[in-house]
Amino acid sequence: MKNPSILVLEDEPFQRLIAVTALRQLGLQCIHEAADGAEALARLDACSGVDIVLCDLRMAGMDGAAFLRHASEAGVVRSVILSSEAAPDLRQAIVSMTRSLGLQFLGDLGKPFDMERAAALIARHTPEPATVPVPGQSPDYPSLDDILRGLDQGEFEAWFQPKFHLGSETLQGAEVLARWRHPQHGVLSPSQFLPTMEANDLIDRLFWQLFAQGLALQQDLACTGRRVNLAFNLQPRQLSDQSLAGRIGKALAVAGLPGEGLTFELTETGLLEAPATSLEALVRLRLLGCGLAMDDFGAGYSSLDRLCELPFSQVKLDASFVRKLMIQPRSSAIISSAVALTKSMDMTLVVEGVETAEQRDQLLALGCQVAQGYLFARPQDRDSFLSLLARKGTPGIH
């Protein structure tokens, strides 16, 4: 890949000189510079744009925020590296704005200029925007006929994303996820079949296949005196089915299993679309002893209102707050508030997306207890999950 072209937008001459000199030492040849947003736009217009802009925020004349908006509208910049001494909350807001403008955000360089970090951020630049495949137009999306055949043949499997106690790393249960063991293509992830399933109203059929597999696993564990809580995802249209709770209760009775071993996860945004009959379904599930979790808590706009209205027993904090934990100071305040809120409402808080030991340690310091993420375990098939259960001992119901 050829070296990317870059614009250094910095109003302080000495800082700009340092940046330009360092970039040349990194081997970049096409480097432009400007002292404010208006000058930067003029230079970009003259050179037909650049790949990357190294952008300050506070400048006389047009500031960095206005520049990024104009540059996006003109299509003269593809990627952004932030270089500013502005407060962390302002820098984070610019990150969100940059992404919403359709620009690739490579990272926050900060000040003073760090050549090694600058090289790492520049290396993240991709020369062309990623293309998004469309169902039915890409080999990554199997056909509807193939999906129907897979459902008939029982090729869709329940995989398990474990939940752990942050401190002791004891197993606290698992979320049930869908995988397709395709005879030609191997194990396929949900992104390769769920869009087609959703478009053709097949999610309910997939749910009941995964649900049956989950109950079968719980039955096998019960025979050896073990048990594990399994969480299943429900969609709004399923809640409008008045027979849902009855079918789940009947399946539990036939399997000889308690409702306490099940949790049903619902996204907040999905609940906004749910009809009034959904409340009856949720109440009946709780009467069976099942848990209800609000998934992706904080990702929408009415989380608190829904927690008041609906009978949730668990809250799953959206992974975006963990991803921002080290770069956005306010994320810590939100997480600690979620800890206090769920404790006062006698709910369990599950933190999603924990990937590093540093995140785990900070979450523990904030009072979090239960989490799931790649730091502990990736989604795994039945055999691998049973092996994990054997290593981690007998979990309880949570």
Short mmCIF file of all heavy atoms in Angstrom, two decimals, residues 81-132:
data_model
loop_
_atom_site.label_atom_id
_atom_site.label_comp_id
_atom_site.label_asym_id
_atom_site.label_seq_id
_atom_site.Cartn_x
_atom_site.Cartn_y
_atom_site.Cartn_z
N ILE A 81 -7.12 11.76 12.54
CA ILE A 81 -6.37 11.56 13.79
C ILE A 81 -6.52 12.83 14.60
O ILE A 81 -6.22 13.93 14.10
CB ILE A 81 -4.88 11.26 13.53
CG1 ILE A 81 -4.71 9.93 12.79
CG2 ILE A 81 -4.10 11.23 14.84
CD1 ILE A 81 -3.26 9.65 12.38
N LEU A 82 -6.96 12.72 15.82
CA LEU A 82 -7.16 13.89 16.66
C LEU A 82 -5.87 14.24 17.38
O LEU A 82 -5.18 13.35 17.92
CB LEU A 82 -8.28 13.61 17.67
CG LEU A 82 -8.94 14.80 18.35
CD1 LEU A 82 -9.55 15.73 17.31
CD2 LEU A 82 -9.99 14.31 19.32
N SER A 83 -5.51 15.52 17.39
CA SER A 83 -4.31 15.99 18.11
C SER A 83 -4.68 17.28 18.81
O SER A 83 -4.65 18.37 18.22
CB SER A 83 -3.16 16.21 17.12
OG SER A 83 -2.03 16.74 17.79
N SER A 84 -5.05 17.18 20.08
CA SER A 84 -5.58 18.34 20.78
C SER A 84 -5.35 18.22 22.27
O SER A 84 -5.23 17.11 22.81
CB SER A 84 -7.09 18.47 20.50
OG SER A 84 -7.66 19.51 21.27
N GLU A 85 -5.29 19.37 22.92
CA GLU A 85 -5.20 19.42 24.38
C GLU A 85 -6.55 19.73 25.00
O GLU A 85 -6.63 20.04 26.19
CB GLU A 85 -4.18 20.48 24.80
CG GLU A 85 -2.75 20.14 24.42
CD GLU A 85 -1.76 21.22 24.81
OE1 GLU A 85 -2.07 22.41 24.59
OE2 GLU A 85 -0.68 20.88 25.33
N ALA A 86 -7.62 19.66 24.22
CA ALA A 86 -8.96 19.91 24.75
C ALA A 86 -9.31 18.88 25.82
O ALA A 86 -8.72 17.80 25.89
CB ALA A 86 -9.98 19.86 23.62
N ALA A 87 -10.29 19.20 26.65
CA ALA A 87 -10.72 18.29 27.72
C ALA A 87 -11.17 16.96 27.15
O ALA A 87 -11.68 16.89 26.02
CB ALA A 87 -11.85 18.93 28.51
N PRO A 88 -10.99 15.87 27.91
CA PRO A 88 -11.33 14.53 27.41
C PRO A 88 -12.77 14.40 26.93
O PRO A 88 -13.03 13.73 25.93
CB PRO A 88 -11.07 13.63 28.62
CG PRO A 88 -10.02 14.34 29.41
CD PRO A 88 -10.34 15.81 29.24
N ASP A 89 -13.73 15.06 27.63
CA ASP A 89 -15.12 14.93 27.20
C ASP A 89 -15.36 15.61 25.85
O ASP A 89 -16.15 15.13 25.03
CB ASP A 89 -16.08 15.48 28.27
CG ASP A 89 -15.83 16.94 28.60
OD1 ASP A 89 -14.68 17.41 28.39
OD2 ASP A 89 -16.76 17.60 29.07
N LEU A 90 -14.65 16.71 25.58
CA LEU A 90 -14.76 17.37 24.29
C LEU A 90 -14.14 16.52 23.19
O LEU A 90 -14.69 16.40 22.09
CB LEU A 90 -14.09 18.75 24.32
CG LEU A 90 -14.81 19.83 25.14
CD1 LEU A 90 -13.98 21.11 25.15
CD2 LEU A 90 -16.19 20.09 24.57
N ARG A 91 -13.00 15.91 23.48
CA ARG A 91 -12.35 15.06 22.48
C ARG A 91 -13.23 13.85 22.16
O ARG A 91 -13.35 13.45 21.01
CB ARG A 91 -10.97 14.61 22.97
CG ARG A 91 -10.00 15.75 23.19
CD ARG A 91 -8.54 15.31 23.07
NE ARG A 91 -8.20 14.23 23.96
CZ ARG A 91 -7.72 14.38 25.18
NH1 ARG A 91 -7.57 15.61 25.68
NH2 ARG A 91 -7.41 13.34 25.92
N GLN A 92 -13.86 13.29 23.19
CA GLN A 92 -14.73 12.14 22.96
C GLN A 92 -15.94 12.54 22.12
O GLN A 92 -16.39 11.78 21.24
CB GLN A 92 -15.19 11.54 24.28
CG GLN A 92 -16.07 10.30 24.13
CD GLN A 92 -15.36 9.19 23.37
OE1 GLN A 92 -14.20 8.91 23.62
NE2 GLN A 92 -16.07 8.54 22.45
N ALA A 93 -16.46 13.73 22.35
CA ALA A 93 -17.59 14.21 21.54
C ALA A 93 -17.18 14.35 20.07
O ALA A 93 -17.96 14.04 19.16
CB ALA A 93 -18.11 15.53 22.09
N ILE A 94 -15.95 14.82 19.84
CA ILE A 94 -15.46 14.94 18.47
C ILE A 94 -15.30 13.57 17.82
O ILE A 94 -15.57 13.39 16.63
CB ILE A 94 -14.13 15.71 18.44
CG1 ILE A 94 -14.37 17.18 18.77
CG2 ILE A 94 -13.44 15.59 17.09
CD1 ILE A 94 -15.16 17.93 17.71
N VAL A 95 -14.88 12.59 18.61
CA VAL A 95 -14.77 11.22 18.09
C VAL A 95 -16.13 10.74 17.59
O VAL A 95 -16.27 10.21 16.48
CB VAL A 95 -14.22 10.27 19.17
CG1 VAL A 95 -14.29 8.82 18.68
CG2 VAL A 95 -12.79 10.64 19.53
N SER A 96 -17.16 10.94 18.43
CA SER A 96 -18.51 10.53 18.04
C SER A 96 -18.99 11.29 16.81
O SER A 96 -19.59 10.72 15.89
CB SER A 96 -19.48 10.74 19.20
OG SER A 96 -19.09 10.00 20.33
N MET A 97 -18.70 12.60 16.77
CA MET A 97 -19.10 13.41 15.63
C MET A 97 -18.41 12.95 14.36
O MET A 97 -19.01 12.86 13.29
CB MET A 97 -18.78 14.88 15.91
CG MET A 97 -19.35 15.84 14.88
SD MET A 97 -18.65 17.50 15.02
CE MET A 97 -17.30 17.35 13.86
N THR A 98 -17.11 12.65 14.47
CA THR A 98 -16.34 12.20 13.31
C THR A 98 -16.94 10.95 12.70
O THR A 98 -17.12 10.85 11.48
CB THR A 98 -14.88 11.93 13.73
OG1 THR A 98 -14.30 13.15 14.21
CG2 THR A 98 -14.06 11.42 12.56
N ARG A 99 -17.27 10.01 13.54
CA ARG A 99 -17.84 8.76 13.04
C ARG A 99 -19.22 8.98 12.44
O ARG A 99 -19.58 8.37 11.43
CB ARG A 99 -17.90 7.74 14.17
CG ARG A 99 -16.51 7.22 14.55
CD ARG A 99 -16.54 6.36 15.79
NE ARG A 99 -15.24 5.73 16.04
CZ ARG A 99 -14.80 5.39 17.23
NH1 ARG A 99 -15.55 5.59 18.30
NH2 ARG A 99 -13.61 4.82 17.37
N SER A 100 -20.01 9.87 13.05
CA SER A 100 -21.34 10.12 12.52
C SER A 100 -21.28 10.83 11.17
O SER A 100 -22.21 10.75 10.37
CB SER A 100 -22.17 10.96 13.51
OG SER A 100 -21.66 12.28 13.60
N LEU A 101 -20.17 11.51 10.90
CA LEU A 101 -19.96 12.16 9.61
C LEU A 101 -19.52 11.18 8.53
O LEU A 101 -19.38 11.56 7.37
CB LEU A 101 -18.92 13.28 9.74
CG LEU A 101 -19.35 14.54 10.50
CD1 LEU A 101 -18.15 15.45 10.75
CD2 LEU A 101 -20.44 15.28 9.75
N GLY A 102 -19.28 9.94 8.91
CA GLY A 102 -18.87 8.94 7.93
C GLY A 102 -17.38 8.90 7.71
O GLY A 102 -16.90 8.27 6.74
N LEU A 103 -16.60 9.54 8.59
CA LEU A 103 -15.15 9.54 8.47
C LEU A 103 -14.56 8.43 9.33
O LEU A 103 -15.11 8.08 10.38
CB LEU A 103 -14.57 10.89 8.91
CG LEU A 103 -15.07 12.12 8.13
CD1 LEU A 103 -14.53 13.38 8.77
CD2 LEU A 103 -14.66 12.03 6.68
N GLN A 104 -13.43 7.89 8.90
CA GLN A 104 -12.76 6.85 9.67
C GLN A 104 -11.95 7.51 10.78
O GLN A 104 -11.06 8.33 10.51
CB GLN A 104 -11.85 6.01 8.77
CG GLN A 104 -11.16 4.87 9.51
CD GLN A 104 -10.18 4.11 8.62
OE1 GLN A 104 -9.73 4.62 7.61
NE2 GLN A 104 -9.84 2.90 9.00
N PHE A 105 -12.22 7.17 12.03
CA PHE A 105 -11.46 7.73 13.15
C PHE A 105 -10.33 6.77 13.48
O PHE A 105 -10.56 5.61 13.86
CB PHE A 105 -12.35 7.94 14.37
CG PHE A 105 -11.60 8.51 15.55
CD1 PHE A 105 -11.17 9.82 15.53
CD2 PHE A 105 -11.31 7.72 16.65
CE1 PHE A 105 -10.46 10.35 16.60
CE2 PHE A 105 -10.61 8.24 17.72
CZ PHE A 105 -10.19 9.55 17.69
N LEU A 106 -9.10 7.24 13.35
CA LEU A 106 -7.93 6.38 13.55
C LEU A 106 -7.44 6.38 14.99
O LEU A 106 -6.81 5.42 15.42
CB LEU A 106 -6.79 6.81 12.62
CG LEU A 106 -7.11 6.80 11.12
CD1 LEU A 106 -5.90 7.24 10.32
CD2 LEU A 106 -7.58 5.42 10.67
N GLY A 107 -7.71 7.46 15.73
CA GLY A 107 -7.28 7.49 17.12
C GLY A 107 -6.98 8.90 17.60
O GLY A 107 -6.97 9.87 16.84
N ASP A 108 -6.73 9.01 18.90
CA ASP A 108 -6.44 10.29 19.56
C ASP A 108 -4.95 10.34 19.88
O ASP A 108 -4.46 9.60 20.73
CB ASP A 108 -7.29 10.40 20.83
CG ASP A 108 -7.24 11.78 21.46
OD1 ASP A 108 -6.31 12.55 21.13
OD2 ASP A 108 -8.11 12.09 22.28
N LEU A 109 -4.23 11.20 19.17
CA LEU A 109 -2.78 11.30 19.36
C LEU A 109 -2.43 12.14 20.57
O LEU A 109 -1.45 11.87 21.28
CB LEU A 109 -2.13 11.89 18.10
CG LEU A 109 -0.61 12.03 18.09
CD1 LEU A 109 0.05 10.68 18.25
CD2 LEU A 109 -0.15 12.70 16.80
N GLY A 110 -3.26 13.16 20.84
CA GLY A 110 -2.97 14.04 21.97
C GLY A 110 -1.75 14.91 21.70
O GLY A 110 -1.24 14.98 20.58
N LYS A 111 -1.26 15.55 22.75
CA LYS A 111 -0.05 16.37 22.66
C LYS A 111 0.79 16.14 23.90
O LYS A 111 0.24 15.83 24.97
CB LYS A 111 -0.44 17.86 22.54
CG LYS A 111 -1.02 18.23 21.19
CD LYS A 111 -1.30 19.72 21.11
CE LYS A 111 -1.85 20.10 19.74
NZ LYS A 111 -2.15 21.53 19.64
N PRO A 112 2.11 16.23 23.82
CA PRO A 112 2.92 16.55 22.65
C PRO A 112 2.94 15.42 21.63
O PRO A 112 2.50 14.31 21.91
CB PRO A 112 4.31 16.79 23.26
CG PRO A 112 4.33 15.92 24.47
CD PRO A 112 2.92 15.98 25.03
N PHE A 113 3.49 15.72 20.44
CA PHE A 113 3.50 14.77 19.34
C PHE A 113 4.34 13.54 19.71
O PHE A 113 5.47 13.66 20.19
CB PHE A 113 4.08 15.44 18.08
CG PHE A 113 3.91 14.62 16.83
CD1 PHE A 113 2.81 14.81 16.00
CD2 PHE A 113 4.84 13.66 16.47
CE1 PHE A 113 2.65 14.06 14.85
CE2 PHE A 113 4.69 12.91 15.33
CZ PHE A 113 3.58 13.10 14.51
N ASP A 114 3.77 12.36 19.50
CA ASP A 114 4.44 11.08 19.77
C ASP A 114 4.61 10.35 18.45
O ASP A 114 3.64 9.87 17.87
CB ASP A 114 3.59 10.26 20.75
CG ASP A 114 4.27 8.96 21.17
OD1 ASP A 114 4.91 8.31 20.33
OD2 ASP A 114 4.14 8.58 22.34
N MET A 115 5.85 10.25 17.95
CA MET A 115 6.09 9.69 16.63
C MET A 115 5.69 8.22 16.55
O MET A 115 5.08 7.78 15.57
CB MET A 115 7.57 9.83 16.25
CG MET A 115 7.87 9.37 14.81
SD MET A 115 9.62 9.42 14.37
CE MET A 115 9.97 11.16 14.56
N GLU A 116 6.00 7.45 17.58
CA GLU A 116 5.68 6.02 17.55
C GLU A 116 4.17 5.79 17.51
O GLU A 116 3.67 4.97 16.74
CB GLU A 116 6.30 5.33 18.77
CG GLU A 116 6.09 3.82 18.79
CD GLU A 116 6.79 3.16 19.97
OE1 GLU A 116 7.69 3.78 20.56
OE2 GLU A 116 6.43 2.00 20.29
N ARG A 117 3.44 6.54 18.32
CA ARG A 117 1.98 6.39 18.32
C ARG A 117 1.40 6.90 17.00
O ARG A 117 0.46 6.31 16.47
CB ARG A 117 1.35 7.13 19.50
CG ARG A 117 -0.18 7.10 19.49
CD ARG A 117 -0.79 7.28 20.84
NE ARG A 117 -2.23 7.39 20.77
CZ ARG A 117 -3.06 6.37 20.61
NH1 ARG A 117 -2.57 5.14 20.47
NH2 ARG A 117 -4.37 6.54 20.55
N ALA A 118 1.95 7.99 16.47
CA ALA A 118 1.46 8.51 15.20
C ALA A 118 1.60 7.45 14.10
O ALA A 118 0.69 7.26 13.28
CB ALA A 118 2.22 9.78 14.82
N ALA A 119 2.73 6.75 14.07
CA ALA A 119 2.94 5.71 13.07
C ALA A 119 1.91 4.60 13.21
O ALA A 119 1.38 4.08 12.21
CB ALA A 119 4.36 5.15 13.19
N ALA A 120 1.61 4.23 14.47
CA ALA A 120 0.63 3.17 14.70
C ALA A 120 -0.77 3.60 14.24
O ALA A 120 -1.52 2.80 13.66
CB ALA A 120 0.61 2.79 16.18
N LEU A 121 -1.12 4.86 14.49
CA LEU A 121 -2.45 5.33 14.10
C LEU A 121 -2.56 5.45 12.58
O LEU A 121 -3.58 5.10 11.99
CB LEU A 121 -2.73 6.68 14.75
CG LEU A 121 -2.82 6.69 16.28
CD1 LEU A 121 -3.15 8.08 16.79
CD2 LEU A 121 -3.86 5.69 16.77
N ILE A 122 -1.51 5.93 11.93
CA ILE A 122 -1.53 6.05 10.47
C ILE A 122 -1.67 4.69 9.82
O ILE A 122 -2.35 4.52 8.80
CB ILE A 122 -0.26 6.77 9.98
CG1 ILE A 122 -0.29 8.25 10.41
CG2 ILE A 122 -0.10 6.66 8.47
CD1 ILE A 122 1.01 8.98 10.21
N ALA A 123 -1.08 3.66 10.45
CA ALA A 123 -1.15 2.31 9.90
C ALA A 123 -2.57 1.75 9.92
O ALA A 123 -2.87 0.79 9.20
CB ALA A 123 -0.21 1.38 10.69
N ARG A 124 -3.45 2.35 10.72
CA ARG A 124 -4.84 1.88 10.77
C ARG A 124 -5.66 2.33 9.56
O ARG A 124 -6.74 1.80 9.31
CB ARG A 124 -5.53 2.42 12.04
CG ARG A 124 -4.96 1.90 13.34
CD ARG A 124 -5.69 2.53 14.52
NE ARG A 124 -5.15 2.09 15.80
CZ ARG A 124 -5.57 2.54 16.98
NH1 ARG A 124 -6.53 3.46 17.02
NH2 ARG A 124 -5.04 2.09 18.10
N HIS A 125 -5.14 3.30 8.84
CA HIS A 125 -5.89 3.84 7.70
C HIS A 125 -6.09 2.77 6.63
O HIS A 125 -5.15 2.07 6.26
CB HIS A 125 -5.15 5.03 7.11
CG HIS A 125 -5.71 5.51 5.81
ND1 HIS A 125 -6.91 6.21 5.73
CD2 HIS A 125 -5.27 5.36 4.54
CE1 HIS A 125 -7.15 6.49 4.47
NE2 HIS A 125 -6.19 5.99 3.72
N THR A 126 -7.31 2.64 6.16
CA THR A 126 -7.62 1.73 5.07
C THR A 126 -7.84 2.55 3.81
O THR A 126 -8.58 3.53 3.82
CB THR A 126 -8.87 0.88 5.37
OG1 THR A 126 -9.95 1.77 5.70
CG2 THR A 126 -8.62 -0.05 6.53
N PRO A 127 -7.22 2.16 2.69
CA PRO A 127 -7.27 2.98 1.49
C PRO A 127 -8.65 3.12 0.88
O PRO A 127 -8.96 4.10 0.24
CB PRO A 127 -6.32 2.28 0.53
CG PRO A 127 -6.23 0.88 1.04
CD PRO A 127 -6.38 0.97 2.51
N GLU A 128 -9.50 2.14 1.08
CA GLU A 128 -10.85 2.20 0.52
C GLU A 128 -11.85 1.88 1.60
O GLU A 128 -11.60 1.04 2.46
CB GLU A 128 -11.02 1.20 -0.64
CG GLU A 128 -10.12 1.50 -1.83
CD GLU A 128 -10.47 2.81 -2.52
OE1 GLU A 128 -11.62 3.27 -2.37
OE2 GLU A 128 -9.60 3.38 -3.20
N PRO A 129 -13.02 2.51 1.61
CA PRO A 129 -14.05 2.18 2.60
C PRO A 129 -14.51 0.75 2.44
O PRO A 129 -14.59 0.24 1.32
CB PRO A 129 -15.18 3.18 2.30
CG PRO A 129 -14.95 3.59 0.88
CD PRO A 129 -13.47 3.54 0.66
N ALA A 130 -14.82 0.11 3.56
CA ALA A 130 -15.28 -1.28 3.51
C ALA A 130 -16.66 -1.34 2.86
O ALA A 130 -17.51 -0.48 3.08
CB ALA A 130 -15.35 -1.86 4.93
N THR A 131 -16.85 -2.34 2.04
CA THR A 131 -18.15 -2.53 1.41
C THR A 131 -19.00 -3.43 2.28
O THR A 131 -18.51 -4.37 2.89
CB THR A 131 -18.00 -3.16 0.02
OG1 THR A 131 -17.27 -4.39 0.14
CG2 THR A 131 -17.22 -2.22 -0.91
N VAL A 132 -20.27 -3.13 2.34
CA VAL A 132 -21.20 -3.91 3.15
C VAL A 132 -21.99 -4.83 2.24
O VAL A 132 -22.72 -4.37 1.37
CB VAL A 132 -22.18 -2.99 3.92
CG1 VAL A 132 -23.15 -3.82 4.74
CG2 VAL A 132 -21.39 -2.03 4.80
#
